[in-house]
Each structure stands twice: as C-alpha cells, then as structure tokens.
Amino acid sequence: MKAIIYEGPEKVTVKNVPEPEVKPGEVLVQISYAGICGTDLNIYAGTHPRAKAPLIPGHEFSGVTMTDCSRFPKGTRVAGYPLLSCGHCDPCKTGNEHVCDTLGLLGIDCDGAMTEYIPVAEEKLVKLPDAMSDKLGAFVEPVAVTVHALRENNFVPGAKTAVFGCGTIGLATALTLRIFGAQEVTMFETDGSRATFARTMGFEVFNPIGLNMEKFAREKTDGAGFDWVFDCAGVQPVANVLIDVVKVKGHIVIIAGYKKPAELPLIKGMFKEISIGFTRVYRYKDFDIAANIMQREPDYEKIITNLLPLDEAKKGFDLLTTPGTGAIKVMFKI
Ligand SMILES: [Zn+2]
Ligand SMILES: [Zn+2]
C-alpha cells in the first residue's frame, strides 16, 4: 500500500510499504481522508519530541471498516479516536485517560493514517452519521478538541465570547460556540486573509494590533468585558491581553499549545478574580458528540481549504508552512 513517510526534518516521501498487521481486537480501516494538523507540522519540521523517523503521520482521518466487528458490520463509515493511553497510571485509573501520564497518539507514537489502511482498536471507532461526508468525517478530530474545551470547562450558554486566532482550531472553536449557544462570538486575528476568511462565516473579526484591548472589550460588551475568552493563538502578544479583555469573574481557556514559555500579568487576574482553564485533546465522548453535532453547522466544511492526493505529500506540508497560500486545513483524499 502507498504511504506518506516522514523521513527526517522537512523530508516526506511517498512509498509502497507492506500492509499493517491487524492484532486481536483491532479492525482494519481503509482510509478515505486524512488531515494535516499543527502537530504534523511539528513532526515535519523535526521539532516534535516523540515522533521518530521513519513514521507514517496522521491522526485525523475517516475511513471504512474492512471486516465485521462486534459493534458494526463491514463497510461502516468511521472516524478513529487516535489517543493511546496506558490504562494503569493515576489519570487513566481515575477516568482521565485523555491526560494519561504517557499519552500517545496514532501517527506520532506509532504509524498513522496518511496511507491506505490502518488497524484501529474496535472501541476507538466512531460511526459517522449517514448524512456526514467522508471529508467532514476526517474533521471530527479538530472539532472534538473544541467540544472538549467547552464541556470540560463548563461553558455556559448565553455568554459573550472572544476567540483569539482564526486558524483551524480558532474557527472550529467559534463555530462550536455557535452550536453551544454563545450569545456573541468576537474574533481577533492579525493576518488579513485569515480575518477575511472568518468574516465569510459571519464572524466579526478585529486586528488587535494598535487597539486598546481593555477599552475595546468593554465597549463591545456593554461595559463588562467578555464572559469567556478562548486563546487559540498561543503567542506572547495574546497572553499579554487575555486578562484585559475578560470581565471580572470571567473565564479564560487556553486551547493553543504554546511553543515557548509565556508570561501572564497574573496580578490583573487577581484583581478581576478570573479563572484560567486549560484543555488537552478530548475524551471519547467529546469525539462522539463532535461527530453528531457537526452537521448543524455547514461552515465547518469551509475550513477544509485544500484536498490533495497522497502523491502530493510534500505540497500538502508546503501549503501550510508557506505564508500567503490561504491554506487552513489541508487533507489528503485517499
Ligand atoms: Zn490534530
Ligand atoms: Zn495512563
């Protein structure tokens, strides 16, 4: 079968490799679509601490089951829950397998989905609703991140919200907030083309550079500041203003993975008595919820900007690492 192989920093090739061995309890899935995630870009750059070449990347995927299993018949359209938890550490034993002490992922700690077939543990398959396209099926994973961010932090409907960053996760967070009943979603983005793109989904988007953010946030919210603020950017200039835009007793959720240590003006947080929450990946339940609510919001599909065949592996990664391409979510159609 054909597979994209990460061979070292900025080196991906497409090769023929043997079909994977299917262990007891696993089901072979024929991949339909596989997306490139920010994590895959870290792998491609050679900066991911765990990914070791040679590796087939890919943890965002949809496909079709090749054999019957106890849950579904052969031919069922599925997405795969890609987390690998140890099962015996304290988080695993207390119902928090998604923050396992040694959490691994398909496509990082073992071969992933940028290929034709992958074995997936039966209990990690998520059946796609009949009306959902295979393409959108490969987008359940990033949406599950946003569903988890809201559920795990006890998001309250009716809130006035702000989202920093109009990349895949920022846009998906904003759309999930719509489904979860946010009263308003205001977005912040410094990249003009990304801001324009977010506006096509009906969001108000502002460039924070040069704005007095505290004043702006108060004006935008009848004086109080935002109830909930979501950081999907993960850069210092955003960390500087998160507490300025949130209201007294408000909530900040850090969804972004900060690549460098950041400073936060914590004294401001003390004065406002705010809470700051963090979120990592998703529970199986979040994944299942994501698959089942996504059809209510047709704009999710717009985030998938580019589809390529497996043979154009390098082009896929280049689209996301070259400024100005307009690419947001790039997927391989397999
Ligand atoms: Zn991902
Ligand atoms: Zn564990």
PDB file of all heavy atoms in Angstrom, residues 35-40 58-60 82 105 108 141-142 145 168-169 281-282 329, ligand 1:
ATOM      1  N   GLY A  35      -6.214  14.357   7.425  1.00  0.00           N
ATOM      2  CA  GLY A  35      -5.865  15.773   7.500  1.00  0.00           C
ATOM      3  C   GLY A  35      -4.465  16.000   8.049  1.00  0.00           C
ATOM      4  O   GLY A  35      -3.909  15.166   8.757  1.00  0.00           O
ATOM      5  N   ILE A  36      -3.903  17.158   7.678  1.00  0.00           N
ATOM      6  CA  ILE A  36      -2.614  17.587   8.254  1.00  0.00           C
ATOM      7  C   ILE A  36      -2.928  18.551   9.395  1.00  0.00           C
ATOM      8  O   ILE A  36      -3.630  19.540   9.215  1.00  0.00           O
ATOM      9  CB  ILE A  36      -1.730  18.315   7.225  1.00  0.00           C
ATOM     10  CG1 ILE A  36      -1.521  17.458   5.978  1.00  0.00           C
ATOM     11  CG2 ILE A  36      -0.385  18.695   7.861  1.00  0.00           C
ATOM     12  CD1 ILE A  36      -0.639  18.131   4.915  1.00  0.00           C
ATOM     13  N   CYS A  37      -2.381  18.247  10.581  1.00  0.00           N
ATOM     14  CA  CYS A  37      -2.638  19.037  11.789  1.00  0.00           C
ATOM     15  C   CYS A  37      -1.371  19.835  12.145  1.00  0.00           C
ATOM     16  O   CYS A  37      -0.293  19.536  11.639  1.00  0.00           O
ATOM     17  CB  CYS A  37      -2.969  18.035  12.893  1.00  0.00           C
ATOM     18  SG  CYS A  37      -3.123  18.726  14.524  1.00  0.00           S
ATOM     19  N   GLY A  38      -1.513  20.799  13.033  1.00  0.00           N
ATOM     20  CA  GLY A  38      -0.354  21.549  13.526  1.00  0.00           C
ATOM     21  C   GLY A  38       0.717  20.626  14.085  1.00  0.00           C
ATOM     22  O   GLY A  38       1.918  20.842  13.885  1.00  0.00           O
ATOM     23  N   THR A  39       0.281  19.565  14.754  1.00  0.00           N
ATOM     24  CA  THR A  39       1.228  18.584  15.295  1.00  0.00           C
ATOM     25  C   THR A  39       2.042  17.939  14.179  1.00  0.00           C
ATOM     26  O   THR A  39       3.241  17.691  14.332  1.00  0.00           O
ATOM     27  CB  THR A  39       0.441  17.475  16.042  1.00  0.00           C
ATOM     28  OG1 THR A  39      -0.464  18.107  16.935  1.00  0.00           O
ATOM     29  CG2 THR A  39       1.355  16.555  16.801  1.00  0.00           C
ATOM     30  N   ASP A  40       1.374  17.670  13.055  1.00  0.00           N
ATOM     31  CA  ASP A  40       2.087  17.072  11.923  1.00  0.00           C
ATOM     32  C   ASP A  40       3.136  18.042  11.370  1.00  0.00           C
ATOM     33  O   ASP A  40       4.169  17.614  10.854  1.00  0.00           O
ATOM     34  CB  ASP A  40       1.098  16.681  10.817  1.00  0.00           C
ATOM     35  CG  ASP A  40       0.098  15.639  11.300  1.00  0.00           C
ATOM     36  OD1 ASP A  40       0.521  14.679  11.964  1.00  0.00           O
ATOM     37  OD2 ASP A  40      -1.104  15.809  11.027  1.00  0.00           O
ATOM     38  N   GLY A  58      -0.285  11.221  10.758  1.00  0.00           N
ATOM     39  CA  GLY A  58      -1.721  11.308  10.509  1.00  0.00           C
ATOM     40  C   GLY A  58      -2.563  10.769  11.648  1.00  0.00           C
ATOM     41  O   GLY A  58      -2.548   9.569  11.929  1.00  0.00           O
ATOM     42  N   HIS A  59      -3.282  11.668  12.319  1.00  0.00           N
ATOM     43  CA  HIS A  59      -4.198  11.221  13.378  1.00  0.00           C
ATOM     44  C   HIS A  59      -5.613  11.754  13.179  1.00  0.00           C
ATOM     45  O   HIS A  59      -6.475  11.543  14.004  1.00  0.00           O
ATOM     46  CB  HIS A  59      -3.657  11.638  14.753  1.00  0.00           C
ATOM     47  CG  HIS A  59      -3.484  13.111  14.896  1.00  0.00           C
ATOM     48  ND1 HIS A  59      -2.317  13.763  14.595  1.00  0.00           N
ATOM     49  CD2 HIS A  59      -4.357  14.075  15.271  1.00  0.00           C
ATOM     50  CE1 HIS A  59      -2.484  15.064  14.785  1.00  0.00           C
ATOM     51  NE2 HIS A  59      -3.701  15.277  15.187  1.00  0.00           N
ATOM     52  N   GLU A  60      -5.842  12.486  12.070  1.00  0.00           N
ATOM     53  CA  GLU A  60      -7.189  12.998  11.761  1.00  0.00           C
ATOM     54  C   GLU A  60      -7.636  12.270  10.505  1.00  0.00           C
ATOM     55  O   GLU A  60      -7.109  12.523   9.429  1.00  0.00           O
ATOM     56  CB  GLU A  60      -7.119  14.503  11.461  1.00  0.00           C
ATOM     57  CG  GLU A  60      -6.495  15.309  12.568  1.00  0.00           C
ATOM     58  CD  GLU A  60      -6.391  16.800  12.235  1.00  0.00           C
ATOM     59  OE1 GLU A  60      -6.768  17.211  11.120  1.00  0.00           O
ATOM     60  OE2 GLU A  60      -5.936  17.554  13.095  1.00  0.00           O
ATOM     61  N   PRO A  82      -7.847   8.759  18.117  1.00  0.00           N
ATOM     62  CA  PRO A  82      -6.437   8.375  17.947  1.00  0.00           C
ATOM     63  C   PRO A  82      -5.593   8.310  19.214  1.00  0.00           C
ATOM     64  O   PRO A  82      -4.388   8.082  19.130  1.00  0.00           O
ATOM     65  CB  PRO A  82      -5.911   9.493  17.030  1.00  0.00           C
ATOM     66  CG  PRO A  82      -6.710  10.693  17.418  1.00  0.00           C
ATOM     67  CD  PRO A  82      -8.077  10.191  17.836  1.00  0.00           C
ATOM     68  N   LEU A 105      -0.247   9.122  20.586  1.00  0.00           N
ATOM     69  CA  LEU A 105      -1.219   9.335  19.519  1.00  0.00           C
ATOM     70  C   LEU A 105      -0.829   8.502  18.304  1.00  0.00           C
ATOM     71  O   LEU A 105       0.369   8.366  18.008  1.00  0.00           O
ATOM     72  CB  LEU A 105      -1.210  10.822  19.117  1.00  0.00           C
ATOM     73  CG  LEU A 105      -2.544  11.555  19.122  1.00  0.00           C
ATOM     74  CD1 LEU A 105      -2.923  11.894  20.562  1.00  0.00           C
ATOM     75  CD2 LEU A 105      -2.477  12.835  18.329  1.00  0.00           C
ATOM     76  N   ILE A 108       2.055   9.494  15.675  1.00  0.00           N
ATOM     77  CA  ILE A 108       3.195  10.123  16.356  1.00  0.00           C
ATOM     78  C   ILE A 108       4.005   9.020  17.038  1.00  0.00           C
ATOM     79  O   ILE A 108       5.193   8.859  16.798  1.00  0.00           O
ATOM     80  CB  ILE A 108       2.730  11.151  17.411  1.00  0.00           C
ATOM     81  CG1 ILE A 108       1.991  12.304  16.720  1.00  0.00           C
ATOM     82  CG2 ILE A 108       3.942  11.690  18.201  1.00  0.00           C
ATOM     83  CD1 ILE A 108       1.366  13.281  17.684  1.00  0.00           C
ATOM     84  N   GLU A 141     -11.931  15.128  14.434  1.00  0.00           N
ATOM     85  CA  GLU A 141     -10.879  15.242  15.471  1.00  0.00           C
ATOM     86  C   GLU A 141     -10.652  16.685  15.918  1.00  0.00           C
ATOM     87  O   GLU A 141     -10.732  16.980  17.123  1.00  0.00           O
ATOM     88  CB  GLU A 141      -9.596  14.563  14.956  1.00  0.00           C
ATOM     89  CG  GLU A 141      -8.570  14.301  16.042  1.00  0.00           C
ATOM     90  CD  GLU A 141      -7.531  15.389  16.193  1.00  0.00           C
ATOM     91  OE1 GLU A 141      -7.585  16.425  15.502  1.00  0.00           O
ATOM     92  OE2 GLU A 141      -6.645  15.224  17.034  1.00  0.00           O
ATOM     93  N   PRO A 142     -10.389  17.628  15.000  1.00  0.00           N
ATOM     94  CA  PRO A 142     -10.212  19.014  15.485  1.00  0.00           C
ATOM     95  C   PRO A 142     -11.467  19.587  16.144  1.00  0.00           C
ATOM     96  O   PRO A 142     -11.360  20.357  17.110  1.00  0.00           O
ATOM     97  CB  PRO A 142      -9.850  19.809  14.230  1.00  0.00           C
ATOM     98  CG  PRO A 142      -9.703  18.849  13.117  1.00  0.00           C
ATOM     99  CD  PRO A 142     -10.089  17.489  13.560  1.00  0.00           C
ATOM    100  N   VAL A 145     -11.659  18.609  19.738  1.00  0.00           N
ATOM    101  CA  VAL A 145     -10.820  19.460  20.603  1.00  0.00           C
ATOM    102  C   VAL A 145     -11.654  20.619  21.154  1.00  0.00           C
ATOM    103  O   VAL A 145     -11.583  20.952  22.340  1.00  0.00           O
ATOM    104  CB  VAL A 145      -9.612  20.016  19.801  1.00  0.00           C
ATOM    105  CG1 VAL A 145      -8.889  21.118  20.575  1.00  0.00           C
ATOM    106  CG2 VAL A 145      -8.649  18.899  19.439  1.00  0.00           C
ATOM    107  N   THR A 168      -7.353  26.779  12.075  1.00  0.00           N
ATOM    108  CA  THR A 168      -8.319  25.679  12.146  1.00  0.00           C
ATOM    109  C   THR A 168      -9.023  25.634  13.497  1.00  0.00           C
ATOM    110  O   THR A 168     -10.259  25.586  13.570  1.00  0.00           O
ATOM    111  CB  THR A 168      -7.609  24.329  11.914  1.00  0.00           C
ATOM    112  OG1 THR A 168      -7.060  24.333  10.601  1.00  0.00           O
ATOM    113  CG2 THR A 168      -8.561  23.165  12.052  1.00  0.00           C
ATOM    114  N   ILE A 169      -8.248  25.664  14.585  1.00  0.00           N
ATOM    115  CA  ILE A 169      -8.865  25.483  15.907  1.00  0.00           C
ATOM    116  C   ILE A 169      -9.650  26.728  16.319  1.00  0.00           C
ATOM    117  O   ILE A 169     -10.722  26.623  16.922  1.00  0.00           O
ATOM    118  CB  ILE A 169      -7.799  25.079  16.955  1.00  0.00           C
ATOM    119  CG1 ILE A 169      -7.237  23.687  16.617  1.00  0.00           C
ATOM    120  CG2 ILE A 169      -8.365  25.098  18.368  1.00  0.00           C
ATOM    121  CD1 ILE A 169      -8.241  22.535  16.714  1.00  0.00           C
ATOM    122  N   VAL A 281      -6.504  17.724  24.145  1.00  0.00           N
ATOM    123  CA  VAL A 281      -7.248  16.778  23.286  1.00  0.00           C
ATOM    124  C   VAL A 281      -8.728  16.638  23.680  1.00  0.00           C
ATOM    125  O   VAL A 281      -9.441  17.649  23.796  1.00  0.00           O
ATOM    126  CB  VAL A 281      -6.530  15.407  23.139  1.00  0.00           C
ATOM    127  CG1 VAL A 281      -5.285  15.562  22.297  1.00  0.00           C
ATOM    128  CG2 VAL A 281      -6.219  14.765  24.488  1.00  0.00           C
ATOM    129  N   TYR A 282      -9.206  15.413  23.928  1.00  0.00           N
ATOM    130  CA  TYR A 282     -10.651  15.165  24.053  1.00  0.00           C
ATOM    131  C   TYR A 282     -10.859  13.810  24.694  1.00  0.00           C
ATOM    132  O   TYR A 282      -9.990  12.954  24.708  1.00  0.00           O
ATOM    133  CB  TYR A 282     -11.293  15.136  22.648  1.00  0.00           C
ATOM    134  CG  TYR A 282     -10.305  14.681  21.604  1.00  0.00           C
ATOM    135  CD1 TYR A 282      -9.847  13.376  21.561  1.00  0.00           C
ATOM    136  CD2 TYR A 282      -9.733  15.592  20.717  1.00  0.00           C
ATOM    137  CE1 TYR A 282      -8.881  12.973  20.675  1.00  0.00           C
ATOM    138  CE2 TYR A 282      -8.751  15.186  19.818  1.00  0.00           C
ATOM    139  CZ  TYR A 282      -8.330  13.882  19.803  1.00  0.00           C
ATOM    140  OH  TYR A 282      -7.355  13.477  18.946  1.00  0.00           O
ATOM    141  N   LYS A 329      -7.053  24.155   6.472  1.00  0.00           N
ATOM    142  CA  LYS A 329      -6.944  22.709   6.710  1.00  0.00           C
ATOM    143  C   LYS A 329      -6.682  22.024   5.366  1.00  0.00           C
ATOM    144  O   LYS A 329      -7.462  22.161   4.428  1.00  0.00           O
ATOM    145  CB  LYS A 329      -8.221  22.172   7.347  1.00  0.00           C
ATOM    146  CG  LYS A 329      -8.254  20.657   7.540  1.00  0.00           C
ATOM    147  CD  LYS A 329      -7.120  20.124   8.398  1.00  0.00           C
ATOM    148  CE  LYS A 329      -7.268  20.430   9.868  1.00  0.00           C
ATOM    149  NZ  LYS A 329      -6.105  19.933  10.657  1.00  0.00           N
TER     150      LYS A 329
HETATM  151 ZN    ZN B   1      -4.810  17.140  15.243  1.00  0.00          ZN
END
